[in-house]
Amino acid sequence: MSALASLIAKTSDDAKRLLDAEGVCVLENVLDARGLARVKQALEAGIRSDESKGVPVRGFPFDPDTRNIRLFDLIGKDPVFVELVQHPLALELVRHQIGSPFLLSNFSANVTAPGSGAMYMHADQGYVPAPWPPYPFATNVAWALDDFCEANGGTRFVPRSHLRDHGPRAPFDLEETVAMECPSGSVFVMDARVWHQTGPNTSREQTRAGLFAYYVRPFIRPQWNWYQTVTPELLATLDGEMREMLGFGSNVTSSLESLYSKP
């Protein structure tokens, strides 16, 4: 943990300073034991549900093998995930980075398994042509549901790579990366320009679960099409802030009419 000690923020102001200077910050103890248990239970239920329905949870093109589990559409899985993406601390840091309004582009889980390989090196705003302007187009807020460490596939990143004006270019030396290490219940936030990857899980029996909420400036098309998966019943339970983040507008009546009354 010593190599990452300088990235630990005690306050939201510390976190903002670190995001600006380092591109990454860590906030510990954001979720307590009860909160962690609730989220992990919802994650496990979501994985079982998707597997029972034949929805793929393994073997995606951006993973090198079929060991890791990825769960998508978390907003539709359990109300606890809605709470996480609206966590006041997370939204404060997102607004600091990309302003307001913004969209929730995606919210997914990544569970590494023993023996799983590393994801390719990338930056989350890799779709933006270089040279990049000196500010991010998006922010990634990650929730550590287990301890993150080098052995269990903790996210690897290139320190201060957000200060470059482009994403990673092959070939890239893995030795230049640092593995994220933080206790369960932590949140770590990454500027979308930071070069990073899922690390290889070299442990014998540890899994590592993390949730990744990806927020983007409002002119960027979201990765996930919420219009296809958010049901009228779910939409009716969401407040104006959440509906805005999903692209429905703040008024639930007009949102439902525009989405479900089309000819």
Side-chain angles (χ1 to χ4, degrees):
M1 191 66 185
S2 59
L4 294 169
S6 62
L7 298 180
I8 299 175
K10 299 299 184 183
T11 67
S12 60
D13 286 340
D14 285 344
K16 294 171 186 176
R17 176 183 56 80
L18 287 168
L19 278 173
D20 292 342
E22 306 295 335
V24 180
C25 71
V26 180
L27 298 110
E28 299 179 341
N29 303 312
V30 179
L31 288 178
D32 60 17
R34 177 179 291 184
L36 269 172
R38 183 180 171 213
V39 177
K40 293 185 79 168
Q41 183 178 32
L43 174 59
E44 292 164 0
I47 293 170
R48 289 194 301 270
S49 176
D50 273 12
E51 287 183 319
S52 69
K53 297 173 183 175
V55 178
V57 296
R58 303 175 188 267
F60 295 97
F62 36 79
D63 284 322
D65 50 55
T66 59
R67 295 179 182 271
N68 285 0
I69 292 176
R70 292 186 184 263
L71 186 68
F72 296 92
D73 187 27
L74 291 184
I75 295 300
K77 296 290 193 290
D78 191 280
V80 72
F81 298 124
V82 176
E83 294 175 21
L84 290 184
V85 295
Q86 288 189 280
H87 192 286
L89 179 58
L91 296 187
E92 181 178 353
L93 298 179
V94 171
R95 292 189 183 99
H96 172 74
Q97 282 237 288
I98 61 175
S100 185
F102 50 82
L103 297 174
L104 180 66
S105 179
N106 205 344
F107 190 27
S108 63
N110 180 6
V111 184
T112 68
S116 58
M119 185 183 183
Y120 65 90
M121 187 66 63
H122 65 285
D124 285 335
Q125 67 173 52
Y127 46 79
V128 179
W132 293 344
Y135 51 81
F137 282 74
T139 304
N140 209 327
V141 178
W143 297 83
L145 304 189
D146 296 306
D147 294 345
F148 271 53
C149 65
E150 184 168 15
N152 68 12
T155 303
R156 303 192 68 91
F157 64 95
V158 180
R160 308 196 80 188
S161 51
H162 71 304
L163 300 178
R164 309 183 193 190
D165 66 355
H166 60 85
R169 299 166 180 168
F172 187 78
D173 186 1
L174 184 62
E175 295 302 317
E176 294 184 31
T177 64
V178 174
M180 173 57 65
E181 297 185 353
C182 61
S184 60
S186 299
V187 170
F188 63 92
V189 184
M190 290 190 299
D191 184 304
R193 295 168 293 174
V194 171
W195 303 7
H196 66 284
Q197 63 185 159
T198 303
N201 189 327
T202 59
S203 72
R204 291 188 176 183
E205 55 184 21
Q206 295 182 48
T207 58
R208 186 276 292 159
L211 310 180
F212 296 85
Y214 182 50
Y215 305 81
V216 298
R217 293 182 185 267
F219 59 86
I220 297 174
R221 182 174 181 174
Q223 294 174 343
W224 191 263
N225 187 349
W226 303 111
Y227 276 67
Q228 292 290 321
T229 58
V230 173
T231 64
E233 294 77 17
L234 173 58
L235 186 61
T237 69
L238 304 179
D239 64 20
E241 179 184 59
M242 192 69 222
R243 292 194 294 272
E244 288 279 4
M245 274 197 280
L246 299 180
F248 288 96
S250 60
N251 185 281
V252 66
T253 302
S254 62
S255 298
L256 288 168
E257 288 177 348
S258 65
L259 181 58
Y260 299 107
S261 300
K262 295 178 181 177

